[in-house]
Amino acid sequence: MTENPPNPRPVSSRLEGQPALVTGASSGIGRAIALGLARAGADVVVNYSSDPKAAEDVAHEIEALGRRALPVKADVSKEDEVLAMYAAALSHFGTLHIVVCNAGIQKDASFAEMTLAQWNAVIGVNLTGQFLCAREAVREFRRRGVVQSVSRAKGKILHMSSVHQEIPWAGHANYAASKGGIAMLMKTLAQEVAPETIRVNAIAPGAIRTPINTEAWNTPKAYDDLMKLVPYKRIGEPDDIARAAVWLASDDSDYVTGTTLFVDGGMTLYPDFASGARFSRPS
Ligand code: BGC
């Protein structure tokens, strides 16, 4: 029977000495996570795919927090670009302790109209991209080994999923399939690497105020319609996700692995059933 020995390091929510990589960090949820990790003490690789100016702005904000930042361009669906991004990150920071596989896209179409290009683009970034980035993370965590002075774990991987790993979404078959895939990728990887103290978890955001879903919240009518799906009656903010990410990346969650944390204001609670009791109350 093998056992991970008790680690004498006190549990800490701080991330000093734990360089992090966040994919898709130039906007939205990724940007908020990059800044949240920096506030908690981490230096951060700011991955972006198309907007260097936005990535540099995030890097400057991180530096203003007293941390180091490295913007790196890479399309996470391409293996050579992911390998080059890791090479740049490791030569700059020496190692990585936290990897947030966040980059994601939507290319919506009704099912019969969906092109193979739309399907492949979304699966490529959202699922294959998370596979490639998580694989390189595991390789680096293994190479480096545990550093007891910074964390109880050898490394932490966070996958960005969605409520749509659970909720079917007509008109978004590619996106929902990618998020369902992430759920099982995350759990299988978590099972495989837990014995070596690598933790793997996912966050499943609901509707968050970001550029990916602007039309779902940017008019009063759209916002009212959206609120019918959100029992907590407000849209999520990127910082709602960042706080969850910092917790999952820190030793505060040291005994948590293989879990999807839903941060969705109750979107997965079947809000249409909230009034169901009146039909089933005994007379
Ligand atoms: C999607 C958003 C959507 C939200 C809730 C997210 O994963 O990217 O476009 O608003 O799920 O449906």
Side-chain angles (χ1 to χ4, degrees):
M1 186 69 191
T2 55
E3 191 182 351
N4 281 323
N7 185 318
R9 182 187 156 75
V11 166
S12 167
S13 57
R14 298 297 304 171
L15 302 176
E16 273 87 2
Q18 299 187 59
L21 182 156
V22 183
T23 66
S26 57
S27 75
I29 289 173
R31 175 181 177 280
I33 292 176
L35 293 169
L37 295 173
R39 259 181 239 112
D43 297 328
V44 187
V45 179
V46 178
N47 161 255
Y48 67 98
S49 64
S50 60
D51 189 346
K53 167 78 172 67
E56 272 156 33
D57 289 349
V58 175
H60 290 142
E61 285 187 68
I62 290 170
E63 283 157 6
L65 294 164
R67 302 294 155 193
R68 293 187 296 157
L70 179 70
V72 180
K73 178 175 163 68
D75 172 346
V76 294
S77 70
K78 307 234 168 75
E79 186 173 30
D80 56 339
E81 296 191 27
V82 171
L83 295 180
M85 171 172 72
Y86 270 79
L90 300 182
S91 91
H92 197 78
F93 288 134
T95 189
L96 292 167
H97 284 255
I98 297 160
V99 168
V100 184
C101 306
N102 166 77
I105 57 170
Q106 282 183 220
K107 292 204 179 287
D108 309 331
S110 61
F111 192 75
E113 312 310 322
M114 189 173 284
T115 64
L116 181 59
Q118 287 171 320
W119 174 268
N120 282 341
V122 171
I123 298 295
V125 172
N126 295 14
L127 187 55
T128 307
Q130 296 214 11
F131 156 67
L132 290 170
C133 291
R135 188 189 66 186
E136 295 316 302
V138 169
R139 289 176 176 173
E140 171 55 17
F141 299 163
R142 278 190 183 149
R143 184 200 64 76
R144 181 204 356 98
V146 176
V147 183
Q148 293 213 348
S149 57
V150 300
S151 176
R152 294 182 168 201
K154 202 178 278 179
K156 280 86 56 162
I157 297 170
L158 262 184
H159 291 281
M160 197 52 59
S161 184
S162 162
V163 289
H164 299 297
Q165 75 169 48
E166 201 80 21
I167 304 176
W169 202 14
H172 307 75
N174 47 3
Y175 185 85
S178 74
K179 297 301 183 178
I182 286 166
M184 201 44 94
L185 167 67
M186 181 279 291
K187 286 204 263 191
T188 300
L189 174 57
Q191 186 192 59
E192 198 168 317
V193 299
E196 47 188 316
T197 71
I198 296 174
R199 295 195 295 113
V200 187
N201 290 289
I203 297 176
I208 309 298
R209 196 193 305 271
T210 73
I212 207 172
N213 62 354
T214 313
E215 72 288 352
W217 50 263
N218 73 345
T219 67
K221 162 87 171 75
Y223 193 87
D224 280 356
D225 285 349
L226 182 61
M227 286 309 105
K228 292 180 192 139
L229 303 175
V230 184
Y232 205 64
K233 299 297 174 212
R234 72 165 172 86
I235 193 169
E237 302 297 340
D239 273 343
D240 288 309
I241 307 302
R243 284 190 294 275
V246 170
W247 182 71
L248 285 170
S250 82
D251 282 6
D252 272 348
S253 61
D254 187 53
Y255 208 47
V256 181
T257 194
T259 287
T260 297
L261 180 54
F262 285 81
V263 184
D264 68 352
M267 196 177 236
T268 36
L269 294 176
Y270 296 93
D272 277 356
F273 279 76
S275 56
R278 68 174 177 269
F279 302 118
S280 57
R281 206 174 288 136
S283 48

